[in-house]
Amino acid sequence: MNETAVAAAWSQRLIDPKFVRWLVVFVLGGCSLYLCGMVWSGWTLVIHAFTQLGAISLIAGACTASLAYLVRFARWHLALSWLGSQVPWLTNLRVYLAGIALTTSPGKLGETFRSVLLAPLDVPAARSLGAFLADRLSDVLGVCLLGAVAGWWQTGLPNSAAFALLAIACGSFAFRVLVLRPELLKRWSVLLPRHAQHPCKLATDALQQWTRLWRPLTVLLFSCAAAIAYGIQAGVFAWFCHELNMGLSNATAIEIFVNATLLGAASLVPGGLGAMEAALVVQLVEHGVDTGLAVSVAMATRLVTLWTGILIGICSLLTVKSKPYRPCKNSD
């Protein structure tokens, strides 16, 4: 069985109704945990905060925050196109959003199932994985760029996000030089056991595809797109803080959101669940915000960003199943 046939079989499993039902149960379980968090932090104060925000603000926040996925999809579509895979944009959008349903998988590895969904469209796994690597790494750079801008806006001095941006960017290009020297990769791959040789070959090919994208101008474009996408969500967080009269400047709120996002990613907890919320609460409390109020705005922010995105992803999984794939042509 060839790679395309195996991926097609896995794609059918991924969009199976049982799997979708499992995702729905997972989302409901997460909502239950959030309700428990409300009770623990003070039900009355949290409900008061949600009431003060209002349903219209929450819905508007969810719609605004979801625009970030369109920005990130445009970057993803460009990446595949520049690597030689001309996937119809509407089909690619459904596949991209479907991957968001698996955001809370360990290390966001579930999002790599986009490769499985794209395989019937004649997109090689190495190519989509290379795009995924560029997507993830430019997200980190974009968040750091957003934090650096917010810190400069607030104090006029470089902050930790600015130094992290510089270090990660330099490190990524140093790694690119290593990948472009295949003799070095072959030396360590020989040390792997035989059953790991095929995954190693796929990883090596994916890294080669990544190097085609990881060029200075492309990195700048992709990182700016990520900064805009996460800036939209950070703006929603700042708006919620303003609505709840927390007395924080927009720059401070954005910097808090950036720090929490980076800490959530560094925690390696799937989707940053719990870690990002805790980081938001701790920072808000340090700025004099009541604990119950801080918990409520953290929950509201994650509700309109993470959980709304997961629901969109589940709906996209259903649309992926509703229409058959049609192979597209790839250029070399």
Side-chain angles (χ1 to χ4, degrees):
M1 187 178 290
N2 58 32
E3 179 181 313
T4 301
V6 172
W10 272 102
S11 66
Q12 291 303 316
R13 295 183 185 181
L14 185 64
I15 59 180
D16 185 87
K18 293 182 180 179
F19 181 77
V20 176
R21 284 198 295 269
W22 179 86
L23 282 176
V24 172
V25 171
F26 174 79
V27 172
L28 293 177
C31 292
S32 299
L33 289 176
Y34 270 46
L35 289 175
C36 292
M38 288 183 184
V39 175
W40 172 79
S41 60
W43 179 267
T44 303
L45 184 59
V46 173
I47 291 299
H48 174 72
F50 270 70
T51 302
Q52 189 173 348
L53 281 174
I56 295 178
S57 294
L58 289 173
I59 294 173
C63 293
T64 303
S66 298
L67 294 176
Y69 297 120
L70 295 179
V71 176
R72 291 167 61 184
F73 162 71
R75 179 186 58 185
W76 168 262
H77 192 67
L78 276 177
L80 284 183
S81 177
W82 289 344
L83 288 177
S85 291
Q86 304 298 329
V87 183
W89 74 267
L90 187 57
T91 300
N92 203 10
L93 176 61
R94 291 201 302 267
V95 170
Y96 182 82
L97 294 177
I100 297 175
L102 301 168
T103 297
T104 52
S105 58
K108 291 193 175 182
L109 291 178
E111 290 191 34
T112 60
F113 268 102
R114 290 192 186 108
S115 299
V116 177
L117 295 174
L118 286 169
L121 293 166
D122 291 342
V123 179
R127 185 172 297 173
S128 56
L129 288 174
F132 172 77
L133 290 174
D135 189 78
R136 292 286 87 202
L137 189 52
S138 59
D139 270 350
V140 176
L141 291 176
V143 172
C144 290
L145 175 60
L146 179 64
V149 171
W152 187 269
W153 179 13
Q154 186 176 8
T155 64
L157 298 172
N159 57 6
S160 57
F163 292 115
L165 173 65
L166 180 62
I168 296 171
C170 292
S172 67
F173 281 104
F175 182 68
R176 182 179 184 272
V177 173
L178 176 64
V179 174
L180 289 175
R181 299 183 65 183
E183 67 278 3
L184 296 178
L185 291 177
K186 288 180 180 179
R187 289 178 184 177
W188 66 262
S189 62
V190 171
L191 301 176
L192 296 174
R194 181 173 298 179
H195 62 80
Q197 293 296 320
H198 181 69
C200 176
K201 176 65 166 56
L202 177 60
T204 302
D205 291 344
L207 287 173
Q208 291 294 333
Q209 295 293 323
W210 168 75
T211 60
R212 294 175 57 190
L213 288 173
W214 209 249
R215 302 173 184 273
L217 290 179
T218 305
V219 171
L220 179 60
L221 175 63
F222 282 10
S223 298
C224 288
I228 292 172
Y230 284 95
I232 291 172
Q233 296 186 339
V236 171
F237 171 72
W239 176 41
F240 284 173
C241 291
H242 175 74
E243 289 293 303
L244 294 175
N245 299 316
M246 292 184 176
L248 301 176
S249 66
N250 289 332
T252 300
I254 292 174
E255 196 168 9
I256 288 174
F257 183 87
V258 166
N259 292 337
T261 301
L262 293 175
L263 287 171
S267 70
L268 300 181
V269 177
L273 287 176
M276 182 171 177
E277 289 87 345
L280 287 173
V281 171
V282 169
Q283 292 179 91
L284 288 172
V285 171
E286 288 179 348
H287 283 81
V289 178
D290 183 86
T291 301
L293 199 59
V295 170
S296 64
V297 76
M299 288 181 173
T301 301
R302 294 289 270 171
L303 178 65
V304 302
T305 54
L306 174 68
W307 294 105
T308 298
I310 290 175
L311 287 174
I312 292 173
I314 293 174
C315 294
S316 295
L317 274 176
L318 296 174
T319 64
V320 166
K321 182 181 179 181
S322 63
K323 294 184 180 180
Y325 286 124
R326 295 181 179 178
C328 63
K329 296 181 180 180
N330 296 318
S331 58
D332 294 329

